[in-house]
């Protein structure tokens, strides 16, 4: 196997011609992308009327979320531009991805997090990849405001999704879906936080349609958590609240792009409660064997909610954005505990009811 083959993976290698890279761009990749598009017989049955539902499992990216697609682009371009350090605000997954790709590139990574609000798995990732982790007394929107100001000093490159290279990288998920299905789906459902991902998917779908690589474009259907739904309510939420920490955002950076995606695609935005999110998380894990973090389950909760409105015979894709192991605490709280037993056959037969 040649070394070149090993590096011919990752979204920049796979979709180089559709991305703003040149021979001068060093490719910083961890072989992200090419995630599974899993057909879900049970979700298809629930929607019914001949609809087919697929789950795009972005938790299988190298750091466990779709953020890796954007980060390979953002870090590669930052290195091309001579950056020695990168910075981001994060609800957790952006910092995990930034820290990993910065480590790979050999540059410093600084992350600004809302204190006490980051899921354990994501925090541990930032530490182990060697980022400088600063916890501010404020929420994500405060952290992003500070990052914009720090970026303006010219000393660090910002790798939040206000960096347009992030959106470029993330649009590759649409390309993969089109290639796998042979066409674009009819409906695409995803969770919305800072709204970069819905904007990126729509950009990807539009580009492949323009290149005649697909015959149609999906309706983009976004779901926000009911306590953090600025786009749905069309106003900034000062104190966003949801246990789906990855979408706990009150003033999305890509608000305008997202609104355009909804309008142009004939789509819409809705809300789901934390209870609905947790129920969908448990459902997807226990019925289909797919464990996702709470924010990701918003797209499944959303599908349950809008199933009746989906036209017959539709192909539906739900993006599940991050891996369940990112946030073990919330999952653990909802599950039954272990069953204690003596190390004796009789005791175990008894508790299994097999006596
Ligand atoms: C970042 C993230 C989101 C939200 O994506 P936006 O682009 O901010 O809308 C949803 N789920 C997970 C797991 C995330 O990491």
């Amino acid at each position: 196997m040649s070394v070149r083959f090993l590096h011919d993976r990752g979204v920049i290698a796979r979709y180089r011609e559709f991305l703003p890279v040149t021979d001068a761009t060093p490719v910083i990749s961890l072989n992200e992308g090419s995630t599974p598009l899993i057909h879900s017989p049970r979700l298809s049955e629930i929607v019914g009327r001949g609809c087919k539902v697929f789950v795009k499992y972005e938790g299988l990216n190298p750091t466990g979320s779709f953020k890796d697609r954007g980060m390979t682009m953002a870090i590669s371009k930052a290195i091309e531009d001579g950056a020695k350090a990168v910075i981001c605000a994060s609800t957790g997954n952006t910092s995990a991805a930034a820290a990993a790709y910065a480590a790979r590139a050999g540059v410093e990574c600084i992350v600004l997090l809302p204190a006490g609000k980051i899921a354990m798995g994501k925090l541990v990732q930032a530490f182990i990849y060697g980022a400088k982790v600063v916890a501010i007394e404020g929420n994500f929107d405060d952290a992003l405001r500070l990052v914009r100001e720090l970026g303006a000093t010219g000393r660090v490159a910002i790798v939040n999704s206000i960096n347009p290279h992030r959106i470029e990288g993330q649009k590759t998920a649409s390309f993969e879906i089109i290639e796998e299905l042979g066409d674009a789906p009819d409906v695409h459902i995803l969770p919305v936080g800072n709204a970069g991902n819905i904007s990126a998917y729509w950009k990807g779908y539009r580009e492949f349609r323009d290149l005649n690589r697909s015959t149609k474009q999906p309706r983009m259907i976004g779901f926000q958590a009911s306590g953090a739904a600025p786009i749905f309510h069309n106003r900034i939420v000062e104190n966003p609240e949801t246990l789906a920490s990855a979408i706990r955002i009150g003033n999305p950076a890509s608000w305008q792009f997202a609104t355009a995606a909804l309008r142009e695609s004939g789509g819409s935005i809705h809300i789901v409660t934390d209870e609905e999110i947790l129920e969908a998380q448990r459902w997807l894990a226990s019925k289909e064997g797919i464990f996702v973090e709470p924010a990701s389950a918003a797209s499944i909760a959303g599908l349950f909610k809008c199933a009746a409105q989906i036209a017959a015979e539709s192909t539906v894709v739900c993006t599940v954005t991050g891996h369940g192991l990112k946030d073990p605490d919330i999952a653990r709280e909802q599950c039954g505990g272990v069953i204690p037993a003596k190390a004796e056959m009789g005791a175990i037969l008894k508790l299994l009811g097999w006596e």
Side-chain angles (χ1 to χ4, degrees):
M1 201 188 301
S2 73
V3 171
R4 185 173 148 65
F5 176 76
L6 286 174
H7 288 275
D8 258 357
R9 294 163 66 186
V11 299
I12 297 179
R14 187 168 172 185
Y15 295 112
R16 163 173 281 278
E17 55 188 308
F18 310 109
L19 294 169
V21 293
T22 67
D23 290 345
T25 314
V27 177
I28 312 298
S29 171
L30 291 164
N31 292 9
E32 61 292 319
S34 303
T35 54
L37 184 66
I38 304 168
H39 176 244
S40 170
R42 288 197 173 85
L43 287 174
S44 305
E45 199 180 302
I46 286 171
V47 179
R49 295 162 296 121
C51 290
K52 281 201 189 77
V53 180
F54 296 83
V55 176
K56 181 70 167 161
Y57 193 15
E58 289 288 279
L60 291 198
N61 276 295
T63 78
S65 86
F66 74 84
K67 300 296 199 298
D68 294 341
R69 294 180 184 275
M71 206 53 75
T72 183
M73 275 298 299
I75 300 285
S76 296
K77 294 301 283 188
I79 301 302
E80 180 180 351
D81 296 341
K84 297 283 179 278
V86 298
I87 191 168
C88 65
S90 182
T91 59
N93 283 332
T94 295
S95 54
Y101 285 79
R104 182 85 176 174
V107 297
E108 191 185 3
C109 178
I110 304 156
V111 304
L112 257 58
L113 308 173
K117 301 280 191 182
I118 304 300
M120 184 53 71
K122 306 176 188 182
L123 193 58
V124 169
Q125 284 180 293
F127 290 145
I128 199 78
Y129 291 133
K132 191 169 282 174
V133 181
V134 182
I136 62 152
E137 296 167 17
N139 60 27
F140 171 83
D141 302 293
D142 297 321
L144 184 57
R145 176 173 49 77
L146 289 164
V147 161
R148 286 182 199 265
E149 287 176 32
L150 288 161
T153 67
R155 298 173 67 152
V156 284
I158 299 176
V159 294
N160 275 105
S161 59
I162 53 175
N163 175 334
H165 298 305
R166 284 274 309 279
I167 305 290
E168 289 296 315
Q170 286 172 207
K171 76 185 179 187
T172 59
S174 297
F175 298 167
E176 290 176 11
I177 290 167
I178 289 170
E179 288 181 348
E180 200 141 340
L181 295 176
D183 203 342
D186 300 297
V187 177
H188 192 120
I189 300 178
L190 76 175
V192 175
N194 219 14
N197 211 29
I198 192 168
S199 310
Y201 267 98
W202 179 240
K203 188 167 198 288
Y205 282 127
R206 255 187 11 227
E207 287 182 9
F208 261 27
R209 176 69 198 91
D210 288 346
L211 292 166
N212 284 321
R213 287 175 177 248
S214 62
T215 68
K216 57 188 175 188
Q217 299 175 139
R219 277 179 199 278
M220 302 299 298
I221 315 273
F223 282 89
Q224 299 194 293
S226 55
I231 302 179
F232 175 78
H233 292 300
N234 196 28
R235 65 180 141 78
I236 292 170
V237 175
E238 292 294 344
N239 295 303
E241 269 312 328
T242 167
L243 53 74
S245 54
I247 53 174
R248 188 187 289 144
I249 291 173
N251 186 10
S254 297
W255 196 325
Q256 301 310 324
F257 290 130
T259 311
L262 295 171
R263 188 183 59 243
E264 291 166 21
S265 74
S268 51
I269 191 139
H270 310 273
I271 49 176
V272 282
T273 64
D274 281 5
E275 245 164 51
E276 290 168 324
I277 287 173
L278 291 180
E279 195 185 328
Q281 183 190 30
R282 277 196 307 272
W283 189 94
L284 193 64
S286 63
K287 303 292 185 204
E288 291 289 29
I290 302 171
F291 181 27
V292 303
E293 66 169 280
S296 312
S299 51
I300 305 302
L303 176 70
F304 290 151
K305 219 163 199 178
C306 71
Q309 276 91 58
I310 295 172
E313 310 290 327
S314 293
T315 300
V316 181
V317 172
C318 296
T319 296
V320 289
T321 44
H323 202 288
L325 292 173
K326 290 275 194 174
D327 197 345
D329 298 329
I330 286 182
R332 176 70 187 79
E333 282 162 21
Q334 309 174 64
C335 302
V338 295
I339 308 165
K342 289 213 168 68
E344 287 166 9
M345 194 60 176
I348 294 173
L349 287 175
K350 188 168 178 190
L351 65 85
L352 293 176
W354 290 2
E355 281 179 310

